[in-house]
Protein backbone atom coordinates (compact mmCIF):
# COMPACT_ATOMS: atom_id res chain seq x y z
CA UNK A 1 0.00 0.00 0.00
CA UNK A 2 1.22 3.50 -0.76
CA UNK A 3 0.54 5.48 2.40
CA UNK A 4 1.53 8.73 0.73
CA UNK A 5 -1.03 8.25 -2.04
CA UNK A 6 -3.78 7.21 0.35
CA UNK A 7 -3.15 10.33 2.43
CA UNK A 8 -3.15 12.48 -0.71
CA UNK A 9 -6.50 10.92 -1.62
CA UNK A 10 -7.92 11.75 1.79
CA UNK A 11 -6.60 15.31 1.50
CA UNK A 12 -8.22 15.69 -1.93
CA UNK A 13 -11.60 15.98 -0.22
CA UNK A 14 -10.51 18.94 1.95
CA UNK A 15 -7.63 20.03 4.18
CA UNK A 16 -7.14 17.86 7.28
CA UNK A 17 -4.82 17.38 10.22
CA UNK A 18 -2.86 14.22 10.99
CA UNK A 19 -5.19 12.84 13.65
CA UNK A 20 -8.15 13.18 11.28
CA UNK A 21 -6.22 11.51 8.44
CA UNK A 22 -5.33 8.55 10.65
CA UNK A 23 -8.95 8.12 11.75
CA UNK A 24 -10.26 8.39 8.17
CA UNK A 25 -7.65 5.93 6.90
CA UNK A 26 -8.63 3.36 9.51
CA UNK A 27 -12.34 3.95 8.82
CA UNK A 28 -12.22 3.89 5.00
CA UNK A 29 -9.69 1.03 4.79
CA UNK A 30 -10.96 -1.30 7.53
CA UNK A 31 -9.12 -4.38 6.27
CA UNK A 32 -5.77 -2.60 6.06
CA UNK A 33 -3.21 -2.41 8.82
CA UNK A 34 -4.06 0.64 10.95
CA UNK A 35 -1.64 3.52 10.48
CA UNK A 36 0.51 4.59 13.38
CA UNK A 37 0.32 8.29 14.21
CA UNK A 38 4.06 8.59 13.71
CA UNK A 39 3.75 7.16 10.21
CA UNK A 40 1.02 9.68 9.34
CA UNK A 41 3.06 12.66 10.53
CA UNK A 42 6.29 11.44 8.92
CA UNK A 43 4.44 10.90 5.63
CA UNK A 44 2.87 14.37 5.83
CA UNK A 45 6.31 15.90 6.32
CA UNK A 46 7.61 14.07 3.23
CA UNK A 47 4.55 15.12 1.21
CA UNK A 48 5.20 18.72 2.22
CA UNK A 49 8.93 18.41 1.44
CA UNK A 50 8.12 17.00 -2.02
CA UNK A 51 5.58 19.72 -2.78
CA UNK A 52 2.55 17.41 -2.76
CA UNK A 53 0.98 18.93 0.37
CA UNK A 54 1.27 22.21 2.21
CA UNK A 55 0.36 23.57 5.60
CA UNK A 56 -3.03 25.25 5.19
CA UNK A 57 -3.33 26.48 8.76
CA UNK A 58 -2.38 25.80 12.32
CA UNK A 59 -5.52 25.36 14.39
CA UNK A 60 -5.55 25.97 18.12
CA UNK A 61 -8.54 24.32 19.75
CA UNK A 62 -9.24 23.02 23.21
CA UNK A 63 -6.38 20.55 22.87
CA UNK A 64 -2.96 20.59 21.30
CA UNK A 65 -2.16 22.73 18.29
CA UNK A 66 -3.10 20.98 15.05
CA UNK A 67 -1.39 21.52 11.73
CA UNK A 68 -3.90 21.27 8.89
CA UNK A 69 -2.53 20.08 5.55
CA UNK A 70 -3.94 20.64 2.06
CA UNK A 71 -3.10 18.88 -1.18
CA UNK A 72 -1.24 21.04 -3.72
CA UNK A 73 -1.77 21.09 -7.49
CA UNK A 74 1.38 19.00 -7.79
CA UNK A 75 -0.02 16.57 -5.21
CA UNK A 76 -3.30 16.37 -7.13
CA UNK A 77 -1.41 15.54 -10.31
CA UNK A 78 0.60 12.86 -8.47
CA UNK A 79 -2.60 11.37 -7.04
CA UNK A 80 -4.21 11.30 -10.50
CA UNK A 81 -1.10 9.62 -11.94
CA UNK A 82 -1.12 6.97 -9.19
CA UNK A 83 -4.84 6.28 -9.63
CA UNK A 84 -4.27 5.64 -13.34
CA UNK A 85 -1.52 3.04 -12.75
CA UNK A 86 -2.41 -0.61 -13.21
CA UNK A 87 -1.32 -2.72 -10.26
CA UNK A 88 1.23 -5.25 -11.48
CA UNK A 89 0.83 -8.83 -10.38
CA UNK A 90 3.55 -10.05 -8.06
CA UNK A 91 6.51 -11.46 -10.01
CA UNK A 92 7.37 -13.96 -7.25
CA UNK A 93 5.47 -16.23 -4.91
CA UNK A 94 5.96 -14.58 -1.54
CA UNK A 95 3.42 -16.48 0.52
CA UNK A 96 4.34 -17.97 3.89
CA UNK A 97 1.73 -20.65 3.13
CA UNK A 98 3.62 -21.75 0.00
CA UNK A 99 7.01 -21.59 1.75
CA UNK A 100 5.87 -23.70 4.71
CA UNK A 101 4.43 -26.41 2.49
CA UNK A 102 7.62 -26.69 0.43
CA UNK A 103 9.90 -26.60 3.49
CA UNK A 104 7.74 -29.22 5.24
CA UNK A 105 8.02 -31.46 2.18
CA UNK A 106 11.78 -30.90 1.82
CA UNK A 107 12.43 -31.68 5.49
CA UNK A 108 10.18 -34.73 5.52
CA UNK A 109 7.61 -32.94 7.65
CA UNK A 110 3.88 -33.46 7.50
CA UNK A 111 2.99 -30.98 4.77
CA UNK A 112 -0.42 -32.60 4.36
CA UNK A 113 -1.19 -32.11 8.06
CA UNK A 114 -0.14 -28.50 7.81
CA UNK A 115 -2.37 -28.00 4.75
CA UNK A 116 -5.35 -29.51 6.57
CA UNK A 117 -4.80 -27.23 9.59
CA UNK A 118 -4.41 -24.22 7.32
CA UNK A 119 -7.60 -25.17 5.46
CA UNK A 120 -9.52 -25.32 8.76
CA UNK A 121 -8.12 -21.92 9.81
CA UNK A 122 -9.07 -20.38 6.46
CA UNK A 123 -12.61 -21.74 6.68
CA UNK A 124 -13.00 -20.35 10.21
CA UNK A 125 -11.75 -16.93 9.06
CA UNK A 126 -14.14 -17.04 6.10
CA UNK A 127 -17.07 -17.59 8.47
CA UNK A 128 -15.97 -14.57 10.53
CA UNK A 129 -15.61 -12.40 7.44
CA UNK A 130 -18.99 -13.47 6.08
CA UNK A 131 -20.66 -12.41 9.33
CA UNK A 132 -18.70 -9.15 9.35
CA UNK A 133 -19.66 -8.45 5.75
CA UNK A 134 -23.36 -8.67 6.61
CA UNK A 135 -23.20 -6.40 9.64
CA UNK A 136 -20.59 -3.83 8.70
CA UNK A 137 -20.32 -0.64 6.72
CA UNK A 138 -19.98 -0.70 2.92
CA UNK A 139 -16.21 -0.18 3.29
CA UNK A 140 -15.99 -3.08 5.76
CA UNK A 141 -18.08 -5.26 3.42
CA UNK A 142 -15.77 -4.42 0.52
CA UNK A 143 -12.71 -5.28 2.62
CA UNK A 144 -14.35 -8.54 3.71
CA UNK A 145 -15.14 -9.41 0.08
CA UNK A 146 -11.51 -8.84 -0.86
CA UNK A 147 -10.24 -11.01 1.98
CA UNK A 148 -12.83 -13.73 1.30
CA UNK A 149 -11.82 -14.00 -2.33
CA UNK A 150 -8.14 -14.27 -1.41
CA UNK A 151 -8.93 -16.96 1.14
CA UNK A 152 -10.99 -18.77 -1.49
CA UNK A 153 -8.01 -18.70 -3.86
CA UNK A 154 -5.79 -20.07 -1.07
CA UNK A 155 -8.29 -22.88 -0.43
CA UNK A 156 -8.24 -23.84 -4.11
CA UNK A 157 -4.43 -23.83 -4.00
CA UNK A 158 -4.46 -25.98 -0.83
CA UNK A 159 -6.56 -28.58 -2.67
CA UNK A 160 -4.12 -28.53 -5.60
CA UNK A 161 -1.14 -28.78 -3.24
CA UNK A 162 -2.68 -31.81 -1.50
CA UNK A 163 -2.96 -33.50 -4.90
CA UNK A 164 0.66 -32.70 -5.82
CA UNK A 165 2.38 -33.58 -2.53
CA UNK A 166 3.27 -37.10 -3.64
CA UNK A 167 4.87 -35.74 -6.82
CA UNK A 168 6.78 -33.12 -4.81
CA UNK A 169 8.04 -35.72 -2.33
CA UNK A 170 9.08 -37.95 -5.26
CA UNK A 171 11.07 -35.10 -6.81
CA UNK A 172 12.73 -34.35 -3.46
CA UNK A 173 13.63 -37.99 -2.86
CA UNK A 174 15.11 -38.38 -6.36
Amino acid sequence: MSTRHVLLGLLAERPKHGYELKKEHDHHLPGARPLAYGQVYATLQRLERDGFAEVAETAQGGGPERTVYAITDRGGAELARWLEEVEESAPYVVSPLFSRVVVAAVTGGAADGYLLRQRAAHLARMRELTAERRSGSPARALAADYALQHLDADLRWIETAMERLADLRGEIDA
Side-chain angles (χ1 to χ4, degrees), residues 123-171:
L123 290 170
R125 180 65 180 137
M126 288 176 89
R127 285 189 291 276
E128 293 169 5
L129 288 165
T130 299
E132 188 175 301
R133 180 176 62 183
R134 291 186 192 127
S135 63
S137 69
R140 188 160 298 282
L142 190 60
D145 288 338
Y146 185 85
L148 282 164
Q149 291 182 26
H150 279 265
L151 289 168
D152 183 60
D154 277 357
L155 286 173
R156 286 182 277 134
W157 181 83
I158 286 170
E159 294 302 319
T160 300
M162 292 289 288
E163 294 169 5
R164 293 182 191 247
L165 275 179
D167 293 338
L168 180 59
R169 286 186 183 118
E171 180 180 287

Tab-separated table of all heavy atoms in Angstrom, residues 123-171:
chain	number	residue	atom	x	y	z
A	123	LEU	N	-11.147	-21.612	6.649
A	123	LEU	CA	-12.611	-21.740	6.683
A	123	LEU	C	-13.202	-21.005	7.881
A	123	LEU	O	-14.246	-20.335	7.767
A	123	LEU	CB	-13.019	-23.214	6.691
A	123	LEU	CG	-12.770	-23.957	5.371
A	123	LEU	CD1	-12.988	-25.463	5.555
A	123	LEU	CD2	-13.658	-23.403	4.264
A	124	ALA	N	-12.525	-21.075	9.026
A	124	ALA	CA	-12.996	-20.350	10.213
A	124	ALA	C	-12.949	-18.844	9.963
A	124	ALA	O	-13.892	-18.115	10.306
A	124	ALA	CB	-12.145	-20.718	11.430
A	125	ARG	N	-11.866	-18.371	9.346
A	125	ARG	CA	-11.753	-16.933	9.057
A	125	ARG	C	-12.804	-16.505	8.042
A	125	ARG	O	-13.362	-15.403	8.141
A	125	ARG	CB	-10.344	-16.618	8.536
A	125	ARG	CG	-10.132	-15.162	8.216
A	125	ARG	CD	-10.216	-14.290	9.468
A	125	ARG	NE	-9.994	-12.903	9.108
A	125	ARG	CZ	-10.686	-11.889	9.574
A	125	ARG	NH1	-11.636	-12.087	10.477
A	125	ARG	NH2	-10.446	-10.656	9.185
A	126	MET	N	-13.109	-17.366	7.090
A	126	MET	CA	-14.138	-17.044	6.098
A	126	MET	C	-15.510	-16.896	6.759
A	126	MET	O	-16.288	-16.016	6.383
A	126	MET	CB	-14.172	-18.103	5.000
A	126	MET	CG	-12.973	-18.030	4.071
A	126	MET	SD	-12.945	-19.345	2.848
A	126	MET	CE	-13.904	-18.547	1.549
A	127	ARG	N	-15.793	-17.723	7.742
A	127	ARG	CA	-17.069	-17.589	8.466
A	127	ARG	C	-17.128	-16.252	9.202
A	127	ARG	O	-18.148	-15.567	9.192
A	127	ARG	CB	-17.259	-18.764	9.428
A	127	ARG	CG	-17.635	-20.064	8.735
A	127	ARG	CD	-18.030	-21.153	9.722
A	127	ARG	NE	-16.909	-21.635	10.514
A	127	ARG	CZ	-16.047	-22.567	10.115
A	127	ARG	NH1	-16.166	-23.127	8.930
A	127	ARG	NH2	-15.068	-22.948	10.903
A	128	GLU	N	-16.025	-15.867	9.832
A	128	GLU	CA	-15.971	-14.572	10.530
A	128	GLU	C	-16.193	-13.420	9.556
A	128	GLU	O	-16.952	-12.493	9.838
A	128	GLU	CB	-14.614	-14.389	11.214
A	128	GLU	CG	-14.339	-15.315	12.363
A	128	GLU	CD	-12.883	-15.242	12.815
A	128	GLU	OE1	-12.108	-14.404	12.287
A	128	GLU	OE2	-12.510	-16.045	13.692
A	129	LEU	N	-15.503	-13.471	8.433
A	129	LEU	CA	-15.613	-12.396	7.442
A	129	LEU	C	-17.006	-12.321	6.834
A	129	LEU	O	-17.511	-11.229	6.561
A	129	LEU	CB	-14.571	-12.579	6.340
A	129	LEU	CG	-13.133	-12.279	6.740
A	129	LEU	CD1	-12.161	-12.838	5.707
A	129	LEU	CD2	-12.932	-10.792	6.930
A	130	THR	N	-17.633	-13.462	6.638
A	130	THR	CA	-18.990	-13.474	6.084
A	130	THR	C	-19.953	-12.797	7.044
A	130	THR	O	-20.798	-11.995	6.625
A	130	THR	CB	-19.431	-14.918	5.772
A	130	THR	OG1	-18.523	-15.462	4.803
A	130	THR	CG2	-20.834	-14.962	5.221
A	131	ALA	N	-19.816	-13.073	8.332
A	131	ALA	CA	-20.664	-12.414	9.334
A	131	ALA	C	-20.368	-10.917	9.387
A	131	ALA	O	-21.286	-10.093	9.470
A	131	ALA	CB	-20.448	-13.050	10.698
A	132	GLU	N	-19.105	-10.557	9.314
A	132	GLU	CA	-18.698	-9.152	9.348
A	132	GLU	C	-19.225	-8.408	8.124
A	132	GLU	O	-19.664	-7.259	8.222
A	132	GLU	CB	-17.167	-9.097	9.380
A	132	GLU	CG	-16.588	-7.743	9.612
A	132	GLU	CD	-15.083	-7.821	9.745
A	132	GLU	OE1	-14.594	-8.527	10.651
A	132	GLU	OE2	-14.401	-7.170	8.937
A	133	ARG	N	-19.201	-9.070	6.990
A	133	ARG	CA	-19.658	-8.448	5.748
A	133	ARG	C	-21.138	-8.086	5.841
A	133	ARG	O	-21.564	-7.056	5.344
A	133	ARG	CB	-19.406	-9.412	4.585
A	133	ARG	CG	-19.831	-8.875	3.245
A	133	ARG	CD	-19.490	-9.797	2.131
A	133	ARG	NE	-20.173	-11.060	2.283
A	133	ARG	CZ	-20.020	-12.088	1.489
A	133	ARG	NH1	-19.185	-12.027	0.492
A	133	ARG	NH2	-20.684	-13.194	1.673
A	134	ARG	N	-21.918	-8.912	6.493
A	134	ARG	CA	-23.358	-8.673	6.606
A	134	ARG	C	-23.693	-7.552	7.584
A	134	ARG	O	-24.727	-6.911	7.455
A	134	ARG	CB	-24.063	-9.944	7.058
A	134	ARG	CG	-24.065	-11.022	6.006
A	134	ARG	CD	-24.901	-12.208	6.459
A	134	ARG	NE	-24.663	-13.332	5.586
A	134	ARG	CZ	-24.299	-14.541	6.003
A	134	ARG	NH1	-24.160	-14.786	7.292
A	134	ARG	NH2	-24.091	-15.504	5.140
A	135	SER	N	-22.852	-7.351	8.579
A	135	SER	CA	-23.203	-6.404	9.637
A	135	SER	C	-22.375	-5.125	9.637
A	135	SER	O	-22.563	-4.277	10.495
A	135	SER	CB	-23.049	-7.088	10.998
A	135	SER	OG	-21.700	-7.456	11.208
A	136	GLY	N	-21.479	-4.986	8.682
A	136	GLY	CA	-20.587	-3.830	8.698
A	136	GLY	C	-20.977	-2.752	7.708
A	136	GLY	O	-21.992	-2.825	7.019
A	137	SER	N	-20.148	-1.752	7.650
A	137	SER	CA	-20.324	-0.638	6.720
A	137	SER	C	-20.000	-1.112	5.304
A	137	SER	O	-19.408	-2.179	5.121
A	137	SER	CB	-19.374	0.491	7.109
A	137	SER	OG	-18.030	0.096	6.859
A	138	PRO	N	-20.357	-0.325	4.290
A	138	PRO	CA	-19.983	-0.705	2.919
A	138	PRO	C	-18.471	-0.877	2.751
A	138	PRO	O	-18.033	-1.790	2.049
A	138	PRO	CB	-20.518	0.454	2.076
A	138	PRO	CG	-21.662	0.988	2.869
A	138	PRO	CD	-21.244	0.836	4.309
A	139	ALA	N	-17.669	-0.035	3.395
A	139	ALA	CA	-16.213	-0.178	3.294
A	139	ALA	C	-15.767	-1.481	3.939
A	139	ALA	O	-14.902	-2.187	3.409
A	139	ALA	CB	-15.509	1.010	3.947
A	140	ARG	N	-16.342	-1.824	5.082
A	140	ARG	CA	-15.989	-3.076	5.759
A	140	ARG	C	-16.430	-4.273	4.915
A	140	ARG	O	-15.731	-5.276	4.822
A	140	ARG	CB	-16.611	-3.126	7.149
A	140	ARG	CG	-16.123	-4.295	7.962
A	140	ARG	CD	-16.320	-4.117	9.445
A	140	ARG	NE	-15.612	-3.018	10.039
A	140	ARG	CZ	-14.310	-3.002	10.337
A	140	ARG	NH1	-13.564	-4.030	10.039
A	140	ARG	NH2	-13.754	-1.963	10.918
A	141	ALA	N	-17.609	-4.170	4.280
A	141	ALA	CA	-18.084	-5.256	3.419
A	141	ALA	C	-17.147	-5.437	2.222
A	141	ALA	O	-16.830	-6.574	1.840
A	141	ALA	CB	-19.511	-4.977	2.954
A	142	LEU	N	-16.687	-4.343	1.647
A	142	LEU	CA	-15.773	-4.417	0.516
A	142	LEU	C	-14.447	-5.060	0.932
A	142	LEU	O	-13.893	-5.904	0.211
A	142	LEU	CB	-15.549	-3.018	-0.061
A	142	LEU	CG	-14.824	-2.918	-1.387
A	142	LEU	CD1	-15.587	-3.655	-2.484
A	142	LEU	CD2	-14.655	-1.458	-1.775
A	143	ALA	N	-13.945	-4.684	2.102
A	143	ALA	CA	-12.711	-5.277	2.617
A	143	ALA	C	-12.908	-6.768	2.888
A	143	ALA	O	-12.033	-7.587	2.581
A	143	ALA	CB	-12.264	-4.556	3.896
A	144	ALA	N	-14.061	-7.129	3.445
A	144	ALA	CA	-14.347	-8.543	3.712
A	144	ALA	C	-14.434	-9.324	2.403
A	144	ALA	O	-13.925	-10.449	2.311
A	144	ALA	CB	-15.635	-8.681	4.517
A	145	ASP	N	-15.071	-8.752	1.385
A	145	ASP	CA	-15.145	-9.414	0.077
A	145	ASP	C	-13.751	-9.677	-0.480
A	145	ASP	O	-13.473	-10.758	-1.007
A	145	ASP	CB	-15.931	-8.560	-0.922
A	145	ASP	CG	-17.415	-8.532	-0.650
A	145	ASP	OD1	-17.925	-9.455	0.025
A	145	ASP	OD2	-18.071	-7.588	-1.117
A	146	TYR	N	-12.880	-8.688	-0.365
A	146	TYR	CA	-11.510	-8.837	-0.862
A	146	TYR	C	-10.811	-9.981	-0.131
A	146	TYR	O	-10.206	-10.862	-0.759
A	146	TYR	CB	-10.753	-7.520	-0.659
A	146	TYR	CG	-9.363	-7.519	-1.234
A	146	TYR	CD1	-9.148	-7.219	-2.576
A	146	TYR	CD2	-8.258	-7.814	-0.446
A	146	TYR	CE1	-7.869	-7.213	-3.110
A	146	TYR	CE2	-6.974	-7.807	-0.979
A	146	TYR	CZ	-6.791	-7.508	-2.301
A	146	TYR	OH	-5.528	-7.510	-2.834
A	147	ALA	N	-10.896	-9.970	1.195
A	147	ALA	CA	-10.236	-11.014	1.983
A	147	ALA	C	-10.842	-12.384	1.704
A	147	ALA	O	-10.113	-13.381	1.591
A	147	ALA	CB	-10.341	-10.674	3.472
A	148	LEU	N	-12.164	-12.448	1.586
A	148	LEU	CA	-12.829	-13.725	1.301
A	148	LEU	C	-12.361	-14.316	-0.025
A	148	LEU	O	-12.122	-15.527	-0.133
A	148	LEU	CB	-14.348	-13.552	1.287
A	148	LEU	CG	-15.007	-13.480	2.657
A	148	LEU	CD1	-16.419	-12.912	2.537
A	148	LEU	CD2	-15.020	-14.850	3.315
A	149	GLN	N	-12.235	-13.485	-1.024
A	149	GLN	CA	-11.822	-14.004	-2.328
A	149	GLN	C	-10.369	-14.474	-2.325
A	149	GLN	O	-10.018	-15.442	-3.002
A	149	GLN	CB	-12.105	-12.974	-3.414
A	149	GLN	CG	-13.614	-12.847	-3.603
A	149	GLN	CD	-14.011	-11.895	-4.691
A	149	GLN	OE1	-13.265	-11.664	-5.630
A	149	GLN	NE2	-15.203	-11.346	-4.571
A	150	HIS	N	-9.532	-13.807	-1.538
A	150	HIS	CA	-8.145	-14.266	-1.413
A	150	HIS	C	-8.081	-15.585	-0.640
A	150	HIS	O	-7.302	-16.481	-0.991
A	150	HIS	CB	-7.269	-13.192	-0.765
A	150	HIS	CG	-6.847	-12.152	-1.735
A	150	HIS	ND1	-5.651	-12.193	-2.398
A	150	HIS	CD2	-7.479	-11.052	-2.193
A	150	HIS	CE1	-5.555	-11.171	-3.223
A	150	HIS	NE2	-6.660	-10.459	-3.109
A	151	LEU	N	-8.885	-15.698	0.395
A	151	LEU	CA	-8.934	-16.956	1.139
A	151	LEU	C	-9.457	-18.088	0.250
A	151	LEU	O	-8.958	-19.220	0.311
A	151	LEU	CB	-9.798	-16.809	2.387
A	151	LEU	CG	-9.187	-15.960	3.505
A	151	LEU	CD1	-10.234	-15.631	4.562
A	151	LEU	CD2	-7.995	-16.667	4.127
A	152	ASP	N	-10.453	-17.777	-0.574
A	152	ASP	CA	-10.985	-18.775	-1.493
A	152	ASP	C	-9.896	-19.247	-2.464
A	152	ASP	O	-9.772	-20.452	-2.736
A	152	ASP	CB	-12.183	-18.206	-2.260
A	152	ASP	CG	-12.814	-19.237	-3.163
A	152	ASP	OD1	-13.280	-20.281	-2.657
A	152	ASP	OD2	-12.833	-19.014	-4.394
A	153	ALA	N	-9.108	-18.324	-2.963
A	153	ALA	CA	-8.009	-18.700	-3.860
A	153	ALA	C	-7.001	-19.577	-3.119
A	153	ALA	O	-6.508	-20.577	-3.673
A	153	ALA	CB	-7.325	-17.457	-4.417
A	154	ASP	N	-6.697	-19.238	-1.867
A	154	ASP	CA	-5.793	-20.071	-1.073
A	154	ASP	C	-6.368	-21.467	-0.880
A	154	ASP	O	-5.639	-22.459	-0.946
A	154	ASP	CB	-5.542	-19.450	0.303
A	154	ASP	CG	-4.472	-18.387	0.308
A	154	ASP	OD1	-3.845	-18.148	-0.749
A	154	ASP	OD2	-4.256	-17.787	1.383
A	155	LEU	N	-7.670	-21.563	-0.623
A	155	LEU	CA	-8.292	-22.876	-0.431
A	155	LEU	C	-8.190	-23.726	-1.698
A	155	LEU	O	-7.928	-24.931	-1.623
A	155	LEU	CB	-9.759	-22.732	-0.015
A	155	LEU	CG	-9.986	-22.273	1.422
A	155	LEU	CD1	-11.469	-22.003	1.661
A	155	LEU	CD2	-9.461	-23.303	2.411
A	156	ARG	N	-8.379	-23.106	-2.847
A	156	ARG	CA	-8.237	-23.841	-4.109
A	156	ARG	C	-6.790	-24.302	-4.282
A	156	ARG	O	-6.531	-25.427	-4.712
A	156	ARG	CB	-8.708	-22.994	-5.286
A	156	ARG	CG	-10.241	-22.897	-5.327
A	156	ARG	CD	-10.762	-22.098	-6.499
A	156	ARG	NE	-10.690	-20.683	-6.116
A	156	ARG	CZ	-10.220	-19.718	-6.881
A	156	ARG	NH1	-9.790	-19.961	-8.088
A	156	ARG	NH2	-10.190	-18.479	-6.441
A	157	TRP	N	-5.838	-23.438	-3.905
A	157	TRP	CA	-4.433	-23.826	-3.998
A	157	TRP	C	-4.123	-24.959	-3.012
A	157	TRP	O	-3.369	-25.887	-3.336
A	157	TRP	CB	-3.522	-22.628	-3.739
A	157	TRP	CG	-2.082	-23.020	-3.855
A	157	TRP	CD1	-1.348	-23.127	-4.998
A	157	TRP	CD2	-1.223	-23.427	-2.785
A	157	TRP	NE1	-0.080	-23.569	-4.701
A	157	TRP	CE2	0.019	-23.759	-3.351
A	157	TRP	CE3	-1.384	-23.540	-1.410
A	157	TRP	CZ2	1.097	-24.194	-2.588
A	157	TRP	CZ3	-0.308	-23.968	-0.647
A	157	TRP	CH2	0.917	-24.290	-1.235
A	158	ILE	N	-4.681	-24.910	-1.816
A	158	ILE	CA	-4.464	-25.977	-0.825
A	158	ILE	C	-4.917	-27.326	-1.396
A	158	ILE	O	-4.232	-28.337	-1.243
A	158	ILE	CB	-5.175	-25.640	0.504
A	158	ILE	CG1	-4.402	-24.529	1.236
A	158	ILE	CG2	-5.319	-26.874	1.389
A	158	ILE	CD1	-5.131	-23.944	2.439
A	159	GLU	N	-6.071	-27.335	-2.058
A	159	GLU	CA	-6.562	-28.580	-2.670
A	159	GLU	C	-5.580	-29.068	-3.742
A	159	GLU	O	-5.271	-30.259	-3.815
A	159	GLU	CB	-7.955	-28.372	-3.271
A	159	GLU	CG	-9.032	-28.081	-2.242
A	159	GLU	CD	-9.168	-29.164	-1.184
A	159	GLU	OE1	-9.107	-30.368	-1.523
A	159	GLU	OE2	-9.337	-28.806	-0.002
A	160	THR	N	-5.091	-28.170	-4.563
A	160	THR	CA	-4.123	-28.534	-5.604
A	160	THR	C	-2.830	-29.049	-4.968
A	160	THR	O	-2.261	-30.051	-5.411
A	160	THR	CB	-3.818	-27.317	-6.509
A	160	THR	OG1	-5.038	-26.889	-7.111
A	160	THR	CG2	-2.794	-27.647	-7.576
A	161	ALA	N	-2.372	-28.371	-3.919
A	161	ALA	CA	-1.137	-28.779	-3.244
A	161	ALA	C	-1.285	-30.178	-2.644
A	161	ALA	O	-0.350	-30.990	-2.725
A	161	ALA	CB	-0.768	-27.771	-2.158
A	162	MET	N	-2.448	-30.477	-2.062
A	162	MET	CA	-2.679	-31.814	-1.499
A	162	MET	C	-2.538	-32.876	-2.596
A	162	MET	O	-1.970	-33.942	-2.364
A	162	MET	CB	-4.067	-31.894	-0.863
A	162	MET	CG	-4.237	-31.036	0.384
A	162	MET	SD	-3.348	-31.639	1.821
A	162	MET	CE	-4.322	-33.059	2.234
A	163	GLU	N	-3.042	-32.560	-3.789
A	163	GLU	CA	-2.963	-33.499	-4.904
A	163	GLU	C	-1.528	-33.667	-5.409
A	163	GLU	O	-1.175	-34.722	-5.928
A	163	GLU	CB	-3.847	-33.022	-6.059
A	163	GLU	CG	-5.329	-33.038	-5.737
A	163	GLU	CD	-6.167	-32.310	-6.779
A	163	GLU	OE1	-5.607	-31.868	-7.824
A	163	GLU	OE2	-7.383	-32.163	-6.545
A	164	ARG	N	-0.697	-32.661	-5.255
A	164	ARG	CA	0.660	-32.695	-5.816
A	164	ARG	C	1.735	-33.091	-4.800
A	164	ARG	O	2.913	-33.202	-5.166
A	164	ARG	CB	1.012	-31.337	-6.406
A	164	ARG	CG	0.178	-30.990	-7.612
A	164	ARG	CD	0.595	-29.667	-8.187
A	164	ARG	NE	-0.369	-29.223	-9.164
A	164	ARG	CZ	-0.124	-29.115	-10.454
A	164	ARG	NH1	1.074	-29.389	-10.924
A	164	ARG	NH2	-1.048	-28.704	-11.276
A	165	LEU	N	1.376	-33.277	-3.557
A	165	LEU	CA	2.381	-33.577	-2.533
A	165	LEU	C	3.190	-34.835	-2.855
A	165	LEU	O	4.405	-34.851	-2.676
A	165	LEU	CB	1.735	-33.705	-1.153
A	165	LEU	CG	1.532	-32.395	-0.406
A	165	LEU	CD1	0.856	-32.661	0.937
A	165	LEU	CD2	2.814	-31.632	-0.216
A	166	ALA	N	2.530	-35.859	-3.331
A	166	ALA	CA	3.269	-37.102	-3.637
A	166	ALA	C	4.309	-36.844	-4.720
A	166	ALA	O	5.444	-37.311	-4.617
A	166	ALA	CB	2.282	-38.187	-4.067
A	167	ASP	N	3.926	-36.068	-5.757
A	167	ASP	CA	4.874	-35.739	-6.820
A	167	ASP	C	6.035	-34.915	-6.279
A	167	ASP	O	7.202	-35.123	-6.646
A	167	ASP	CB	4.186	-34.981	-7.953
A	167	ASP	CG	3.172	-35.817	-8.706
A	167	ASP	OD1	3.284	-37.076	-8.647
A	167	ASP	OD2	2.283	-35.242	-9.325
A	168	LEU	N	5.735	-33.959	-5.397
A	168	LEU	CA	6.777	-33.124	-4.812
A	168	LEU	C	7.730	-33.963	-3.961
A	168	LEU	O	8.948	-33.825	-4.065
A	168	LEU	CB	6.146	-31.996	-3.969
A	168	LEU	CG	7.104	-31.025	-3.288
A	168	LEU	CD1	7.984	-30.318	-4.311
A	168	LEU	CD2	6.326	-30.008	-2.460
A	169	ARG	N	7.176	-34.851	-3.166
A	169	ARG	CA	8.037	-35.716	-2.334
A	169	ARG	C	8.900	-36.624	-3.225
A	169	ARG	O	10.063	-36.868	-2.922
A	169	ARG	CB	7.168	-36.532	-1.391
A	169	ARG	CG	6.621	-35.713	-0.261
A	169	ARG	CD	5.889	-36.586	0.751
A	169	ARG	NE	5.310	-35.757	1.784
A	169	ARG	CZ	4.010	-35.669	2.038
A	169	ARG	NH1	3.139	-36.355	1.320
A	169	ARG	NH2	3.584	-34.890	2.999
A	170	GLY	N	8.313	-37.112	-4.330
A	170	GLY	CA	9.076	-37.954	-5.262
A	170	GLY	C	10.230	-37.192	-5.874
A	170	GLY	O	11.342	-37.723	-6.015
A	171	GLU	N	9.996	-35.930	-6.231
A	171	GLU	CA	11.066	-35.101	-6.805
A	171	GLU	C	12.150	-34.853	-5.769
A	171	GLU	O	13.342	-34.861	-6.089
A	171	GLU	CB	10.471	-33.785	-7.269
A	171	GLU	CG	11.484	-32.835	-7.882
A	171	GLU	CD	10.839	-31.539	-8.332
A	171	GLU	OE1	10.124	-31.563	-9.349
A	171	GLU	OE2	11.052	-30.512	-7.646
